[in-house]
DNA sequence: CCGGTAGCTGTAAACGTTTCCGGGAGTCTG
DNA sequence: CAGACTCCCGGAAACGTTTACAGCTACCGG
């Protein structure tokens, strides 16, 4: 049962209602309600009137006047991927702390969705956006350049793109994983990647090949599989890979893939890490949930989210700022899935000279 | 006729810009841009002018006039819980299909957060809200009743609460799990629950006790543990439980808890389902990711989200609608973690009359 | 005693849309 | 051919704020 409204049989109270009830002008009412100016007597009357009618300022009208929405958008591929959950949490913390709210879009990685979203920014329903595209096309770049509100991109961008950008080095991240596996005696190292036409997919592929080469390990293409960045794809890709090769370690391009790989490995009777060591990427909470717990390369998703949010808020406050870039270094978190139990041969550094 | 601002040196083009450029009034320009009315000639001129200056209508001004935001909010406890991800995806689909966007809030299950959120609705920054509180207090109810915009609640509410409501029967859901375990020969059935002062926690507790009683199985309190609804709590609660009892099956109040329980079981050398059968709840994608895959009681999270979104959109369109309620029936999804390998005794139906 | 100043106040003009309303022109009907 | 009817158009009024500006009072110093 709603308690009855004291005023305004049809609509909700506005500043006019309050002003009339307090016997002052709307200007005075507005000033008092915003805490700027007003004589003690006016303040008292307006406050009382506002409380009596239960006045709450209308956010839209305020936005129209202030040209600010106090909303910030985040566009990611897949809100089900825990890496984006971590990012989202970090961003939300920063954004909320500034009194704003976060609007989340799931793009499904579809380019048309992403560019449509960027174009919609022209409607100015939001003060800024953080976007983490897995593919970057020319359309993206023009849409980004045309945007009337600030946009921060999480992910690799052309070197000279004059926009705020937060990045990591997933190529180096893959190298960390490979180095670790080599150091623990693995030599037949497989790789389950996401699509090669995505920015992270391409970077991780390059990183894998470079790392193997650096260790002088010839690449066996049978040990490389590609799916998308989802769990099911990881599972199936690993099935295909195991059908034609027998790796002693698997590097996966993200944790969802790694979880799928783990499932296939266990289902096919491989022991992890005894038979096959497993390393994922993104270091999501999922990695800690598995049994055995998954080693994973952290790309600092929370940190990247936090930095992106800070860059965005600063730019909103001062659009004249020069474009800035933040970088987060990858790091390897070793857990049971690639633990050190299997130095089948004495560990030796391949290249020591 | 003093044309005020034909050019826009600093700002973006408005309908005034377009109207001036096309040589018509802003009324005509607006009509053409909205596709209502206008002579062919006017339409041509306005369209051309709009294209030339790259006009995009301002969402805020439009909202002020229309009293609509085209935004819908969703408030859930934890965006990391895959059950809410599923719900969110379903809601997002319905909401997007109606041309609106979804604003997601994470409440952390904190009552003050939730009521603050509900009160903020008075600012009307959003056309409506879907909220899924795990506790329901008197504050919630007054805040809900006072809300100037429609709110749909997912979860149990007082029977006579006159508001749109989508619910399931998790009590019955637990019963399905227990029935299944009993039917496959388990008798020492443990239960890892969430907090008893939450609505789902209380319902699931009651359901568990009632189901055991119905089967004539005396309840051993050593087989019941409580944590919160998170993974870590499930892991720890299961450790405590196994330290003092030896169940042959575990029912968990949600999938996160079940995943934690699985981790502990495997870490302590129990075979699943041979030694201990495991059933989770919510049937999230997490359940399928585990090895062995988890049986889980589906509470139709996607379905509930979809229905809630539909109820909300309908109410936004017609606020005079009577309060409605939708119910989604639970169902058990049996997978490997509670497979049928152990009918120690012949299966029998307890009550057949 | 008077001019200046500080502090309040109200009027009105923004912000950018949509829409009501009245008027004008053209077309159809009786 | 007059009246009615249909379109189309532009002016102006909303929607609910904030704020620039000017006027008013009261007080102070000279």
């Amino acid at each position: 049962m709603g308690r009855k409204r004291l005023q305004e049989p049809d609509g909700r109270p506005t500043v006019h209602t309050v002003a009339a009830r307090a016997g002052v002008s709307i200007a005075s009412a507005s000033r008092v309600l915003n805490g700027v100016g007003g004589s003690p007597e006016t303040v008292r009357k307006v406050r009382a009137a506002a409380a009596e009618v239960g006045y709450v300022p209308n956010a839209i009208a305020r936005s129209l006047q202030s040209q600010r929405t106090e909303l910030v958008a985040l566009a990611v591929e897949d809100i089900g991927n825990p890496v984006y959950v971590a990012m989202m949490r970090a961003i939300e913390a920063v954004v909320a702390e500034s009194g704003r709210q976060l609007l989340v879009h799931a793009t499904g990685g579809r380019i048309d969705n992403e560019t449509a979203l960027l174009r919609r920014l022209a409607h100015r329903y939001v003060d800024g956006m953080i976007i983490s595209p897995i593919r970057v096309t020319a359309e993206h770049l023009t849409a980004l350049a045309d945007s009337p509100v600030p946009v921060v991109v999480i992910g690799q961008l052309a070197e000279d793109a004059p926009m705020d950008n937060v990045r990591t080095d997933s190529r180096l991240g893959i190298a960390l994983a490979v180095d670790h596996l080599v150091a623990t005696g693995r030599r037949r190292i497989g790789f389950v990647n996401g699509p090669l036409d995505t920015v992270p997919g391409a970077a991780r592929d390059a990183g894998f090949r470079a790392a193997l080469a650096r260790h002088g390990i010839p690449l066996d293409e049978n040990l490389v599989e590609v799916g998308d960045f989802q769990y099911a794809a990881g599972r199936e890709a690993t099935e295909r890979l195991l059908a034609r090769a027998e790796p002693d370690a698997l590097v996966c391009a993200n944790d969802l893939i790694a979880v799928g790989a783990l499932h296939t490995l266990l289902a096919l009777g491989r022991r992890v890490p005894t038979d096959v060591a497993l390393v994922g990427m993104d270091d999501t909470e999922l990695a800690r949930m598995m049994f055995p717990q998954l080693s994973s390369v952290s790309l600092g998703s929370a940190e990247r989210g936090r930095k992106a949010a800070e860059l965005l808020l600063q730019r909103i406050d001062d659009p004249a700022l020069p474009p800035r870039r933040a970088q987060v270094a990858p790091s390897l978190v070793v857990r049971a899935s690639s633990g050190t139990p299997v130095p089948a041969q004495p560990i030796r550094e391949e290249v020591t000279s």
Side-chain angles (χ1 to χ4, degrees), chain A:
Chain A
M1 312 294 171
R3 81 180 43 183
K4 64 183 81 166
R5 287 272 135 227
L6 297 180
Q7 239 5 19
E8 304 294 320
D10 44 348
R12 312 262 313 168
T14 75
V15 71
H16 290 89
T17 322
V18 173
R21 192 172 184 102
V24 300
S25 72
I26 60 164
S28 290
S30 172
R31 277 186 290 253
V32 169
L33 294 169
N34 286 9
V36 353
S39 72
E41 174 62 4
T42 307
V43 169
R44 193 192 57 74
K45 286 189 299 188
V46 172
R47 291 245 173 90
E52 284 169 28
V53 300
Y55 169 76
V56 177
N58 181 304
I60 303 168
R62 194 199 290 261
S63 286
L64 180 58
Q65 164 69 26
S66 68
Q67 301 285 64
R68 287 260 178 127
T69 297
E70 311 299 348
L71 282 180
V72 164
L74 169 67
V76 297
E77 185 206 352
D78 171 21
I79 49 173
N81 187 334
V83 71
Y84 293 122
V85 171
M87 223 175 239
M88 201 181 318
R89 285 203 177 110
I91 292 171
E92 147 91 11
V94 176
V95 161
E97 208 247 346
S98 81
R100 280 168 255 243
Q101 305 190 75
L102 189 64
L103 193 54
V104 180
H105 298 283
T107 66
R110 305 234 332 262
I111 293 173
D112 48 349
N113 270 344
E114 293 184 348
T115 52
L117 226 39
L118 288 172
R119 298 207 186 291
R120 254 204 264 181
L121 289 177
H123 291 126
R124 321 199 66 151
Y125 64 103
V126 101
D127 292 341
M129 175 178 262
I130 299 175
I131 187 169
S132 176
I134 61 173
R135 294 181 177 88
V136 177
T137 65
E139 294 173 77
H140 278 93
L141 293 178
T142 70
L144 282 169
D146 288 351
S147 168
V149 303
V151 179
V152 174
V153 176
I154 298 183
Q156 302 294 325
L157 222 44
E159 277 308 318
D160 54 348
M163 32 193 41
D164 293 328
N165 182 214
V166 176
R167 53 177 61 187
T168 179
D169 186 346
S170 62
R171 211 182 131 115
L172 172 57
I174 293 286
L176 294 178
V178 171
D179 291 355
H180 160 65
L181 292 169
V182 169
T184 55
R186 278 85 178 189
R187 288 299 177 276
R188 297 191 312 282
I189 303 175
F191 182 40
V192 186
N193 197 6
L196 290 177
D197 65 342
T198 63
V199 176
R204 290 162 204 199
D205 184 70
F208 183 72
R209 290 165 192 274
L212 280 195
R214 188 159 41 77
H215 287 287
I217 300 178
L219 176 69
D220 177 357
E221 291 290 349
N222 283 324
L223 286 172
V224 177
E225 257 297 342
V226 164
D228 62 23
F229 284 111
Q230 305 293 319
Y231 163 80
R235 209 170 134 167
E236 293 156 10
T238 306
E239 283 169 11
R240 292 194 299 272
L241 195 153
L242 289 182
R244 61 169 191 251
E246 202 59 48
D248 59 8
L250 276 183
V251 175
C252 298
N254 75 9
D255 278 354
L256 286 177
I257 294 176
V259 169
L262 176 64
H263 198 282
T264 293
L265 287 170
L266 296 177
L268 295 182
R270 306 298 197 282
R271 288 165 300 168
V272 175
T274 314
D275 298 331
V276 181
L278 190 56
V279 179
M281 176 165 261
D282 280 338
D283 189 29
T284 63
E285 44 186 7
L286 212 46
R288 279 185 303 276
M289 291 190 190
M290 295 297 116
F291 188 86
Q293 292 191 316
L294 298 185
S295 297
S296 192
V297 176
S298 166
L299 298 178
S301 46
E303 182 69 3
R304 278 182 292 155
R306 192 178 63 72
K307 288 197 173 169
E310 287 169 359
L311 285 185
L312 182 63
L313 295 189
Q314 288 166 16
R315 172 155 310 279
I316 288 175
D317 284 341
D318 179 6
L321 244 40
R324 287 169 309 162
R325 175 171 299 173
Q327 179 113 14
V328 175
S331 66
L332 175 68
V333 181
V334 177
R335 299 198 185 85
S337 75
S338 73
T340 47
V342 193
Q345 323 169 0
I347 302 179
R348 62 195 160 88
E349 286 298 323
E350 286 291 330
V351 181
T352 45
S353 83

